[in-house]
Amino acid sequence: MSTENLPQSPEQPPRKPRVAVVFGGRSSEHGISVVTAGAVLRAIDRTKYDVLPIGITRDGRWALTADEPERMAITDRRTPSVEELAESNEGGVILPVDPANREVVYSEPGSVPKALGEVDVVFPVLHGPYGEDGTLQGLLELSGVPYVGAGVLASAVGQDKEYMKRVFTSFGLKVGPYVVIRPREWERDESAARKKIVDFAGEHGWPLFVKPARAGSSIGITKVDDLAGLDEAVAEAQRHDPKIIVEALLRGREIECGVLEFEDGPRASVPAEIPPAQSHAYYDFEAKYIDSTPGIVPAPLTPEETAEVQRLAVEAFEATSCEGLVRADFFLTEDGDFVINEINTMPGFTPISMYPQMWQASGIAYPELVDRLVEAALRRSTGLR
C-alpha cells in the first residue's frame, strides 16, 4: 500500500533544554539564596529554556516550589524561605542517580510518584555549606547532570577560607595574616586556643575579624576591638561553623572583580570598590543586602591598577581550578599592593549584588550573564575534565 497520499504527522519541534534552578539549602545563607533564585528566574530566557524551580528547605528536603519570583524578595528587612514557597509540606523532589537517566521525579506520601521530565542542566544558586562547598556538585557529578559553576574541588576550596588562602599562597598570590582554630583545639584546651588568638593579636594588633571558616555573606563575622569581646565573637562564629579563622585588619580599599568563563577562557570584569559603610562597622550582611550599601562601579583606579586586579582575579580563578564564575575580593593596601581576601564561587547574584553590577558595567546585562553561565555549563561534560 502506498503511503504517498497519507497525511504526514507534523515534525515535533526540538525540546528546549530544561534548567533546574536549585536554591535555599541548609546553611545560614538560605534566605539570600532564595532571593538570588528569584532574580535568576526573572532573568532566564523562557523562549530558550524550560525552567524547573527546586527549593531545598532548611532541614534538607528537596521541594517543588512555585515559579513565582515576585515572592522571592526581601520584604520588611526579612529574607524569604523555601518553606514559604513549597507546594507541599511533605512532597519531595528526587534527582536521578543513574547517569543514563536524567528524569526528575516528585513524590508525596500515599501518592503515585510524578515524573517532572528530564533535566539538562542545574543552576545551583545555593550559598554556603551543603550547596556551594562541593557537596551538591558531587551529587550532580554522580548523577551525570551538568551544572553551572565550579566543580567539586574548586567549590570545596572556595568555601574553606583556610585552604583557599593556602592555595593562593602556593600560587604566589598575597594574602593577609590569619590564624585558624579548629574545633578539636577549642574542645581540647580552650585556654590554649584563646592564647593562640591573643598571641596573634599581639603580633598584628587589634582589631581582629573573627569568622566562620566556611560561611559567606559576612554572616557570623565579628570585628573585635580588644580582648573583652573575643569570647563572644568566637561563640558567634562557632554558631555557623565549628572551625573559625581570625584575620588581621588590613588597612586599604576594598576592591572586587568578577570573572566569567567565555568560550576562549576566563575574562575579568571592570572592578568595583566597596566604600566604608557609614552606618556599619564593616561591610556586613545588613550593609550588603538589607541596607544595600552601594558599591562604586567601576572602581576609581588607575589603568595600571585596573589591569593588575583583573590579572590577579583571573589568576585566582585558575589557581583554584574554577569554572563558570567567580567574584574575587581584594584589599588595595596603603603600600599599593593588592592582597586577595577571598573568592566566591557562587557570589551574591541578586540585581543589587556586585557581581552582576560589575558585568553590567562591562557590557553584559543580567539576562545575558545568566544565559552565558547556562551555555558554559551545557558545553561541559561531567566527570574528570
Side-chain angles (χ1 to χ4, degrees), residues 266-290:
R267 301 182 203 170
S269 70
V270 299
E273 180 168 4
I274 307 301
Q278 298 301 319
S279 57
H280 299 265
Y282 61 96
Y283 193 47
D284 61 7
F285 179 87
E286 290 211 348
K288 285 181 181 179
Y289 296 111
I290 305 300

Side-chain angles (χ1 to χ4, degrees), residues 65-117:
T65 65
D67 187 1
E68 298 175 4
E70 65 277 3
R71 295 173 56 196
M72 304 163 79
I74 295 172
T75 54
D76 298 325
R77 303 179 68 85
R78 177 180 165 276
T79 56
S81 71
V82 169
E83 287 80 356
E84 297 166 349
L85 298 161
E87 294 193 355
S88 164
N89 293 327
E90 296 182 318
V93 174
I94 304 168
L95 281 184
V97 293
D98 179 0
N101 172 26
R102 293 183 179 174
E103 189 93 69
V104 174
V105 173
Y106 178 71
S107 177
E108 287 194 48
S111 300
V112 176
K114 179 174 69 174
L116 300 178

Side-chain angles (χ1 to χ4, degrees), residues 129-130 156-167 178-187 193 196-197 209-216 219-221 233-247:
Y130 315 112
V157 170
Q159 188 64 46
D160 191 309
K161 292 178 173 60
E162 175 193 0
Y163 287 98
M164 182 197 309
K165 292 176 188 292
R166 289 180 181 272
V167 169
Y178 68 95
V179 65
V180 173
I181 305 296
R182 303 177 189 281
R184 283 194 299 273
E185 291 181 78
W186 195 263
E187 293 162 5
K196 186 175 174 180
I197 301 174
F209 288 89
V210 180
K211 304 180 177 183
R214 296 162 292 193
I219 290 174
I221 298 177
V234 169
E236 172 60 18
Q238 288 176 333
R239 282 202 317 113
H240 304 276
D241 187 350
K243 175 181 172 181
I244 66 170
I245 186 167
V246 181
E247 296 175 350

